[in-house]
Amino acid sequence: MLLGIQIVAVCFALTMLYLTNLYYKRKELTRKELVFWQALWIALLGITIFPSILDPIVEQLHFNRALDLLVVLAFIFLTVLSFVTYAKVKRTDERMRLLVQRLAKERAKERPR
Amino acid sequence: MGVWAVIAAYNEEKNLAPVLEGVKNYVDEVVVVDDGSADGTSNVAIASRVNVLRHPINLGKGAAVRTGVEFAIEKGADKIVLIDADGQHEPDEIPKFLSRLDRVDIVFGTRKFDENMPVVLRFGNRLLHIFTRLLFGVSVRDTQSGFRAFRAQAYPLIRWSADGYAMETEMLVNVGKHKLSYEEVPIKTIYHDRYKGTTMLDGVKIAFRMLSLKLRG
């Protein structure tokens, strides 16, 4: 029987699967991105329903429970994702600034002589 | 081609026209950079027959002034005056700046630290003055004043990367770094809108930026 936390995780994974598919249909994700994110949510679903598949790793790394390992992995994943997002936002910001300044100069309205 | 005034304006349709009329008397050319205003700022500037650049989106004062200064230099400016668009500065004081530019690279306008200046601004400015003096050896009492003038040839050395209000402090930091010559000139100031301009949060951001610039060397 599924525990409360497992039900929440399953609902979350299913919602994310649906959203990933929706974004792909809207052409906001490439096929590669679709495969990556769907694999991630399917893995989460599998681990949630059959947590025992993690037992060998849990034992190897001396964690008490599979949940502890998942929490640590989630933190690592979020940290990496935050860093990548930060770097991309910074780059986009810089490009946008250059673009805006170039547009302003190109469309300059010079004083009538 | 002589003296250019660079004015960054954001939603200043009400205040801009008299500023432009005043400034035009003392400089050869004026360029207004409309930093993505939602009102008729650009139209006011065009009607005043000055050069107008428009940022399609709001980037911040630092970015707008940079766009304007670079445009002015491309057009051959050799002296540049920066003045605020909201009418808080007196264009009649521009000659005081220009005469000093004959002997120094950059001239900073310094407001009176009297009861007219909002308390937060007075306190923040004093703190930033101490910071810039200790960290960069530049002693300018009014670190946040937007009324300044500099020689175009000094621009590559004082060029700031900040998009917002930290530009003023970064300019000071660069003056210290490159050991440029500078002077202060007392200016009158009229405070119109206390919800515009540098806020306490901006002051904190500026202080952090100064520290990061110091650490970067």
Side-chain angles (χ1 to χ4, degrees), chain B residues 10-188:
Chain B
Y10 178 60
N11 292 340
E12 290 293 355
E13 67 174 4
K14 285 186 187 142
N15 301 314
L16 190 59
V19 174
L20 294 178
E21 287 317 306
V23 170
K24 275 156 69 177
N25 296 325
Y26 301 102
V27 298
D28 300 311
E29 290 284 345
V30 179
V31 56
V32 171
V33 183
D34 176 358
D35 192 23
S37 298
D39 65 2
T41 298
S42 285
N43 296 334
V44 171
I46 292 166
S48 298
R49 301 173 69 84
V50 296
N51 301 285
V52 183
L53 305 181
R54 182 171 159 75
H55 281 176
I57 53 169
N58 178 256
L59 289 184
K61 185 182 177 183
V65 176
R66 204 167 45 228
T67 303
V69 169
E70 284 168 12
F71 178 80
I73 291 174
E74 275 169 29
K75 297 287 170 189
D78 43 47
K79 285 177 185 170
I80 289 164
V81 179
L82 307 182
I83 185 166
D84 286 356
D86 58 1
Q88 69 164 286
H89 302 135
E90 294 274 0
D92 303 351
E93 294 186 299
I94 291 175
K96 289 201 284 191
F97 286 78
L98 296 177
S99 61
R100 283 166 173 81
L101 272 190
D102 292 335
R103 51 178 188 268
V104 293
D105 295 309
I106 180 161
V107 183
F108 298 97
T110 299
R111 295 167 286 186
K112 273 192 192 144
F113 284 65
D114 55 15
E115 64 282 355
N116 291 324
M117 184 185 271
V119 180
V120 175
L121 213 59
R122 233 183 299 165
F123 175 72
N125 236 323
R126 290 231 160 96
L127 222 58
L128 289 172
H129 171 214
I130 296 170
F131 256 58
T132 39
R133 206 179 51 196
L134 290 178
L135 295 177
F136 304 99
V138 181
S139 182
V140 171
R141 277 170 299 153
D142 191 355
T143 59
Q144 294 315 108
S145 165
F147 202 177
R148 300 174 172 194
F150 55 87
R151 294 177 186 165
Q153 67 204 46
Y155 177 67
L157 301 175
I158 58 167
R159 192 181 186 277
W160 53 94
S161 56
D163 286 341
Y165 288 108
M167 65 153 281
E168 270 115 8
T169 318
E170 202 178 327
M171 207 193 272
L172 271 178
V173 169
N174 290 335
V175 165
K177 245 192 226 173
H178 298 286
K179 306 208 180 317
L180 297 175
S181 52
Y182 63 92
E183 267 186 33
E184 286 180 88
V185 54
I187 54 165
K188 283 173 259 164

Side-chain angles (χ1 to χ4, degrees), chain A residues 97 101 108-111 113, chain B residues 29 51-52 63 75 163:
Chain A
R97 190 172 57 192
Q101 292 186 318
K109 289 195 168 59
E110 292 197 33
R111 176 175 70 88
R113 309 281 156 184
Chain B
E29 290 284 345
N51 301 285
V52 183
K75 297 287 170 189
D163 286 341

